[in-house]
Amino acid sequence: SLPWADKALAAPIVVDALHDKELRLSMVANNKGRPFKGLRTLLEAMVELNDHRVGLVLVGNYDDEDRAWIEGADVAFVGETPEAMSYMAGTDVYVLPSWRDASPRVVREAMSLSLPTIVSDIPGSRDLILPGQTGLLAPAQDAKALSEAIRWMLTHPEERRAMGRQGRERIARDFSPAAYTGLFARLFRSLASS
């Protein structure tokens, strides 16, 4: 809900090591033992991008190999925390590079925080955003394409912020509790009248 997001927006957490970055990315996910979440693709995209103006905040769990693989880059491994929304609120763009996902709630949470999103072009994730309006799509498991989407977000700050505003408007319009309950009420009425 938007009031829940507003609490995080009122108290964003910016990771000290990334406070001076022009573009701060975030990913919140349980990655440990779940390579399909795409964390390695995102880390490879950061290496491909090779731009110290960009930083990445990772909230959740992850395999030690991933952390060791990217050690020393502009990546902050926060770990698991109940303040995930506040960490997201302290960033500029949310990234979810999953290879498979259902309908990831975290993308809706990011949109409610007025964050533009970069998600994999897969069912579930792509269905939540309006490409070019609330976020960008990148082919799954394609670090180069993901780095290009990140670079676009870096070099188009006004368009990026407009995407974030439109994403929040989409959440208010299409994903509010009232919209959801109305959808199910209409569905049940139509099934009962059949």
Side-chain angles (χ1 to χ4, degrees):
S1 71
L2 295 181
W4 186 41
D6 290 341
K7 288 180 184 177
L9 288 168
I13 298 173
V14 177
V15 175
D16 287 342
L18 305 179
H19 77 279
D20 62 340
K21 300 297 180 187
E22 285 183 41
L23 183 70
R24 289 183 301 271
L25 310 170
S26 57
M27 178 184 181
V28 177
N30 290 319
N31 294 292
K32 191 170 188 135
R34 303 171 83 200
F36 62 86
K37 283 296 189 181
L39 175 58
R40 184 55 70 100
T41 303
L42 178 52
L43 297 177
E44 290 171 359
M46 290 294 290
V47 171
E48 173 79 26
L49 185 66
N50 191 27
D51 192 324
H52 292 291
R53 296 174 295 169
V54 180
L56 170 62
V57 177
L58 294 172
V59 179
N61 59 24
Y62 25 76
D63 294 310
D64 291 337
E65 307 85 64
D66 289 325
R67 186 175 187 147
W69 186 82
I70 197 82
E71 197 71 43
D74 297 311
V75 179
F77 289 82
V78 172
E80 296 178 276
T81 175
E83 298 172 312
M85 287 283 287
S86 293
Y87 278 101
M88 288 170 47
T91 65
D92 306 298
V93 175
Y94 183 78
V95 183
L96 187 63
S98 297
W99 311 342
R100 67 175 196 256
D101 233 316
S103 180
R105 181 183 71 197
V106 70
V107 173
R108 292 188 299 275
E109 290 171 347
M111 292 168 68
S112 71
L113 292 167
S114 298
L115 292 178
T117 58
I118 302 172
V119 300
S120 296
D121 190 3
I122 60 169
S125 294
R126 73 171 162 238
D127 302 324
L128 295 174
I129 72 162
L130 301 173
Q133 295 176 38
T134 65
L136 300 175
L137 296 173
Q141 301 184 58
D142 187 336
K144 183 168 179 37
L146 184 55
S147 72
E148 290 168 3
I150 294 168
R151 186 174 308 284
W152 188 93
M153 291 287 189
L154 174 66
T155 59
H156 295 84
E158 291 304 316
E159 294 93 333
R160 175 182 82 222
R161 286 188 277 279
M163 283 181 169
R165 288 189 299 273
Q166 290 176 50
R168 185 172 166 100
E169 291 167 6
R170 176 166 161 71
I171 291 297
R173 182 184 64 242
D174 299 336
F175 295 99
S176 69
Y180 253 52
T181 55
L183 171 75
F184 283 107
R186 289 188 299 279
L187 173 65
F188 293 143
R189 279 194 295 274
S190 71
L191 292 173
S193 65
S194 303

